[in-house]
Amino acid sequence: AVDQAPSLPVAFPPYATDLGELKAGQHTLNVTLYGNRHNAFGPVHLVFAPGFKWLGPDCYRTTGALWSDAWQLRPLGLQQPVRVLNGE
């Protein structure tokens, strides 16, 4: 949202929206991101093997080859910076 205007979704390709005409000067751009709960409540010590497609109770390990002392977090959020382009 720009300057407290209603939010405009950009969740799907082409991941862009038209902010309309803005007056000259400074503006505030607020970006709200939604993710999933994996990095907060998921099996963050599970080492994912190639082809791993299922998560369940057995994924919460404390030993073995699939356990890692380091957190195994998933990429989440903005993967690239937000760009504001002039429509000219």
Side-chain angles (χ1 to χ4, degrees), residues 38-40 44 71-75:
H38 181 277
N39 290 346
V44 295
W71 287 14
Q72 305 294 307
L73 301 179
R74 302 290 160 259

Side-chain angles (χ1 to χ4, degrees), residues 1-79:
V2 174
D3 298 334
Q4 306 301 320
S7 296
L8 303 167
V10 292
F12 305 104
Y15 306 112
T17 191
D18 185 349
L19 300 176
E21 281 198 40
L22 301 175
K23 295 179 181 178
Q26 284 191 327
H27 298 276
T28 301
L29 175 65
N30 292 308
V31 178
T32 301
L33 303 173
Y34 297 96
N36 58 49
R37 294 179 280 177
H38 181 277
N39 290 346
F41 304 108
V44 295
H45 293 282
L46 175 69
V47 176
F48 279 83
F52 203 99
K53 296 183 181 181
W54 182 83
L55 291 177
D58 194 38
C59 294
Y60 292 86
R61 301 172 180 273
T62 58
T63 61
L66 296 179
W67 167 262
S68 170
D69 286 332
W71 287 14
Q72 305 294 307
L73 301 179
R74 302 290 160 259
L76 183 66
L78 292 175
Q79 303 297 307

